[in-house]
């Protein structure tokens, strides 16, 4: 059976605007807070250094961007990009409330047409965004374009386990925990979108092939959380 076609970009954008007010709360609840550990792993894998310029694409409410900002320090610069104005507003608010001053610029933009010069960033992250773009190869090529030679990107997202029992467990988790929890917030339809988005999302091996085809080298996909999550790590050739 062919994978379902992705919805138009405007529909996905509307979903993320609608879920923005409770996005962080649901992430904490549904992952038992583990999404924060996975994000720390992704940031470590992209190896940001003090003074670096770093990019977080599909930044949402800004968790990864803030982690990057802590790594690059006062002499570095982080840009968080998202196409959801509602998510960016929350990212700005949360960053303003941070005890530690963080140097982050928030940009509303499209992951398929990044508004940056080529060879601009020393490191990059993307959290739960690659699964939602309407053209994955085009997004990977854009990420490759804006990174400096030698820069590394780490992409965190859902992953379909190879094991059939684990696939069944993941399906049960989505249908019996994620969607009912979202329903209590009046967001059942918005979170039901995760299931078809995961069905059409390439598995880890395919992600490695697509990322290599986009020009990256040393591409590795790390399955985490019993294979239900994954981090794709790739470097632009020096």
């Amino acid at each position: 059976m062919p994978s379902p076609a992705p919805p138009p970009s405007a529909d996905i954008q509307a979903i993320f605007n609608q879920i923005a007010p409770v996005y962080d709360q649901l992430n904490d609840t549904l992952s038992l807070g583990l999404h924060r550990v996975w994000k720390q792993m992704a940031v470590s894998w992209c190896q940001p250094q003090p003074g670096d310029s770093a990019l977080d694409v599909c930044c949402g409410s800004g968790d990864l961007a803030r982690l990057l900002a802590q790594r690059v320090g006062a002499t570095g610069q982080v840009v968080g990009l998202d196409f959801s104005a509602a998510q960016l507003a929350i990212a700005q608010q949360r960053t303003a409330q941070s005890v530690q001053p963080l140097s982050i610029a928030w940009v509303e933009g499209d992951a398929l047409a990044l508004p940056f010069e080529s060879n601009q960033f020393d490191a990059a992250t993307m959290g739960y965004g690659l699964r939602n773009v309407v053209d994955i190869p085009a997004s990977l090529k854009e990420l490759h374009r804006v990174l400096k030679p030698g820069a590394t990107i780490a992409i965190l997202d859902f992953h379909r386990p190879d094991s059939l029992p684990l696939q069944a467990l993941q399906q049960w988790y989505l249908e019996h925990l994620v969607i009912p929890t979202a329903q209590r917030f009046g967001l059942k339809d918005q979170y039901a979108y995760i299931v078809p988005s995961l069905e059409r999302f390439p598995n880890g091996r395919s992600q490695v092939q697509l990322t290599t085809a986009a020009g990256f080298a040393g591409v590795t996909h790390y399955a985490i959380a019993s294979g239900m999550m994954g981090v794709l790590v790739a470097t632009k050739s020096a």
Side-chain angles (χ1 to χ4, degrees):
M1 179 181 297
S3 298
S9 179
D11 290 350
I12 302 172
Q13 184 179 32
I15 287 172
F16 279 91
N17 280 324
Q18 290 160 4
I19 67 176
V22 295
Y23 183 69
D24 288 329
Q25 183 179 351
L26 279 172
N27 280 348
D28 280 329
T29 300
L30 295 170
S31 74
L32 302 177
L34 289 174
H35 74 101
R36 300 189 182 279
V37 176
W38 304 330
K39 288 170 180 174
Q40 288 277 10
M41 293 169 68
V43 169
S44 293
W45 265 317
C46 78
Q47 305 175 49
Q49 303 298 316
D52 275 356
S53 175
L55 172 66
D56 181 27
V57 178
C58 303
C59 66
S61 58
D63 281 352
L64 281 164
R66 285 187 288 274
L67 292 173
L68 287 170
Q70 292 170 12
R71 295 291 189 100
V72 304
T75 59
Q77 174 63 49
V78 174
V79 177
L81 176 136
D82 205 284
F83 67 172
S84 167
Q87 292 278 10
L88 287 172
I90 291 172
Q92 290 175 317
Q93 180 183 20
R94 292 185 186 275
T95 305
Q97 295 169 346
S98 174
V99 174
Q100 176 185 359
L102 300 173
S103 179
I104 306 175
W106 304 105
V107 176
E108 185 174 346
D110 186 349
L112 301 182
L114 296 173
F116 310 116
E117 298 292 331
S118 298
N119 305 312
Q120 183 172 341
F121 296 99
D122 299 290
T125 54
M126 190 179 197
Y128 304 104
L130 193 65
R131 178 173 42 87
N132 293 308
V133 300
V134 297
D135 189 335
I136 289 174
S139 176
L140 290 169
K141 288 177 182 177
E142 272 294 271
L143 290 167
H144 183 273
R145 179 184 66 80
V146 302
L147 288 177
K148 293 178 182 178
T152 297
I153 183 167
I155 300 173
L156 168 67
D157 216 310
F158 278 100
H159 176 245
R160 278 212 272 192
D162 293 327
S163 160
L164 290 178
L166 285 174
Q167 287 180 19
L169 176 61
Q170 184 180 61
Q171 189 73 16
W172 182 90
Y173 163 77
L174 291 170
E175 292 180 354
H176 296 277
L177 289 179
V178 173
I179 296 174
T181 300
Q183 186 173 16
R184 292 200 290 273
F185 289 87
L187 296 169
K188 177 183 178 182
D189 291 343
Q190 290 83 349
Y191 271 80
Y193 160 75
I194 293 175
V195 176
S197 76
L198 185 56
E199 288 176 356
R200 62 177 171 265
F201 192 43
N203 62 22
R205 289 183 296 275
S206 296
Q207 289 179 43
V208 169
Q209 293 170 354
L210 289 169
T211 307
T212 301
F216 285 95
V219 185
T220 306
H221 185 275
Y222 298 96
I224 57 177
S226 299
M228 295 188 200
M229 297 286 162
V231 180
L232 178 68
V233 181
T235 300
K236 182 172 179 176
S237 297

